[in-house]
Amino acid sequence: MSDRELFWRASLVPKKEEYPFVRVPKVAFMFLTRGPLPLLPLWERFFKGHGKYFSIYVHTDPGYVLNVSSGSPFYGRQIPSKVCPLQHVEWGSVLLLDAERRLLANALLEFSNERFILLSESCIPVYNFKTVYNYLVHSGHGFVEAYDDPSRYGRGRYNRRMLPYIWVRQWRKGSQWFEMQRALAAYVVSDTKYHKLFKKYCTPACYPDEHFLPTFINMFHGSMNSNRTVTWVDWSLGGPHPATYSAVNITEGLIQSIRMNQTLCSYNSGVTPICHLFARKFDASALQPLLNLTSRVMEF
C-alpha cells in the first residue's frame, strides 16, 4: 500500500465496542532503526514465552534487510520503507516523523494491538515482560512527553506561519520516544492537516519529531495523555545528543538507578515509583554485560 492508502485503512475505527473474536490485548513494539539491531539477543530473551501478548514492527532505511533466524520473534516483522532509495531517515527531519507514523499505521492494522511503544536499536527494557505489559495495558493514558519550553530550543522553534492553526501558547516539546493507546494512535495517523503544517513550516532548526506529537496531542487529546515518557535517557552531559552507555558503564547499580530513581510518577488516578520501563542509549558492546544482568536485575 502507498502511505495514503495505509493511513486511510489504519484510521478506520469500529463503531461496535465488542469484538467478534476473543481478543487478547497486545503491545506493539515498534523499532525505528537505520539498520541492524545490535541488542537483538537481549530483546529475544525479553520476549521469550510471551508470544500471544505482543507484536513487533521494524522500520529500517530502504534497501536494508533484517537478517534474523526463523525462530526469532523479529523474523518477518520488517515493514516497507516508503523513502526514496537515495534518501535516509535522518534524525530531526520530517522523514523521521513519517517513519513513526508508518510504524503506527502498520501496527493499527492488527486489531489485537492495544498499546504502541516506539523504540530504537539502542533501547533496552529495564523490567521483565509481565511488568511492562501490565503497566501499559492497565494504563488509562498514553505516555507522550509534552511540555512548554520558553527557550530558543522550544518556543524559539515556533514558526508564526503556522497561524491561525497553531498558536505559540499551544506549542509543545517532548521526547520522540512515545507510548500510546489505540484510540490516540488512530487520531495520530488520521491527521493530515497538522502533519502538512509541520512538513512545510517546521524545518531545521525546528525538529518535527520533538514537536509534532507533543503539540498535536496537547491541542486536541490532552486528557488522554500523561505528559511523560516511559523511556529513560541521560542528558546530563549537555549538548544535542544524550549519553551513550558501553560495556564499561554497565553495572547493577546503573540499571537499578533507572528502575527506581527515587521519584514518584503519575499513573491513572495515583502515583507509582516505576517511572521508566525502557532506557537508551546503549551501544553494541553493552550487550553481554546486559545479558549477564537480566535474571538478577531485570528479572527475565
Side-chain angles (χ1 to χ4, degrees):
M1 291 184 285
S2 68
D3 274 356
R4 184 180 179 186
E5 293 169 324
L6 174 64
F7 294 144
W8 176 81
R9 184 171 293 186
S11 68
L12 301 179
V13 178
K15 293 297 183 182
K16 291 182 70 68
E17 292 186 5
E18 60 275 7
Y19 289 83
F21 53 89
V22 177
R23 180 179 184 262
V24 177
K26 291 184 178 181
V27 176
F29 291 81
M30 307 178 301
F31 290 83
L32 183 59
T33 174
R34 289 194 178 99
L37 296 169
L39 303 176
L40 182 71
L42 180 71
W43 283 103
E44 289 176 332
R45 184 177 294 185
F46 169 78
F47 288 124
K48 188 175 181 180
H50 303 285
K52 68 178 182 178
Y53 298 107
F54 70 87
S55 302
I56 293 174
Y57 303 86
V58 182
H59 188 294
T60 69
D61 275 350
Y64 179 81
V65 178
L66 186 65
N67 185 18
V68 296
S69 69
S70 59
S72 171
F74 288 81
Y75 182 76
R77 304 310 302 168
Q78 187 173 357
I79 70 168
S81 171
K82 300 299 182 180
V83 180
C84 168
L86 298 179
Q87 292 177 301
H88 297 280
V89 177
E90 298 291 343
W91 303 115
S93 77
V94 73
L95 295 177
L96 182 59
L97 175 58
D98 291 342
E100 293 173 5
R101 282 161 46 92
R102 196 173 297 120
L103 277 164
L104 268 180
N106 274 274
L108 278 166
L109 297 181
E110 169 57 67
F111 281 111
S112 293
N113 289 333
E114 185 60 33
R115 307 292 303 202
F116 304 78
I117 176 76
L118 182 69
L119 301 158
S120 77
E121 73 275 16
S122 65
C123 287
I124 66 165
V126 294
Y127 285 93
N128 60 32
F129 183 89
K130 183 178 180 180
T131 300
V132 169
Y133 178 86
N134 287 333
Y135 192 102
L136 297 180
V137 168
H138 295 130
S139 172
H141 302 89
F143 297 96
V144 182
E145 187 178 49
Y147 59 93
D148 182 9
D149 179 358
S151 77
R152 65 190 180 98
Y153 300 109
R155 289 196 178 199
R157 296 173 177 174
Y158 171 75
N159 190 327
R160 291 178 181 272
R161 287 178 288 182
M162 291 183 171
L163 287 171
Y165 306 108
I166 302 174
W167 295 79
V168 68
R169 65 176 181 272
Q170 299 170 313
W171 188 252
R172 293 294 184 272
K173 182 181 179 180
S175 168
Q176 76 173 95
W177 308 107
F178 64 79
E179 193 283 336
M180 62 181 64
Q181 63 273 55
R182 186 175 186 89
L184 191 51
Y187 284 128
V188 171
V189 301
S190 299
D191 168 69
T192 300
K193 178 178 180 178
Y194 290 89
H195 175 264
K196 287 182 177 178
L197 276 174
F198 271 79
K199 187 173 184 177
K200 188 173 183 179
Y201 297 124
C202 184
T203 56
C206 175
Y207 303 104
D209 58 300
E210 293 183 3
H211 294 283
F212 172 73
L213 281 180
T215 300
F216 178 77
I217 291 173
N218 172 68
M219 290 176 64
F220 301 108
H221 310 292
S223 64
M224 302 174 71
N225 187 36
S226 66
N227 292 329
R228 67 180 179 91
T229 178
V230 287
T231 300
W232 178 89
V233 184
D234 181 3
W235 290 101
S236 63
L237 299 180
H241 302 291
T244 297
Y245 288 85
S246 56
V248 69
N249 308 119
I250 307 306
T251 65
E252 182 174 337
L254 171 67
I255 304 303
Q256 291 289 21
S257 70
I258 298 171
R259 285 163 56 96
M260 292 292 181
N261 61 359
Q262 308 303 314
T263 60
L264 294 175
C265 295
S266 61
Y267 183 80
N268 292 336
S269 58
V271 295
T272 176
I274 300 178
C275 298
H276 300 107
L277 304 175
F278 310 95
R280 68 185 302 269
K281 302 173 60 175
F282 294 81
D283 69 19
S285 73
L287 175 60
Q288 192 55 52
L290 287 168
L291 288 172
N292 294 339
L293 293 175
T294 55
S295 61
R296 188 168 72 254
V297 182
M298 288 99 96
E299 301 174 347
F300 63 86

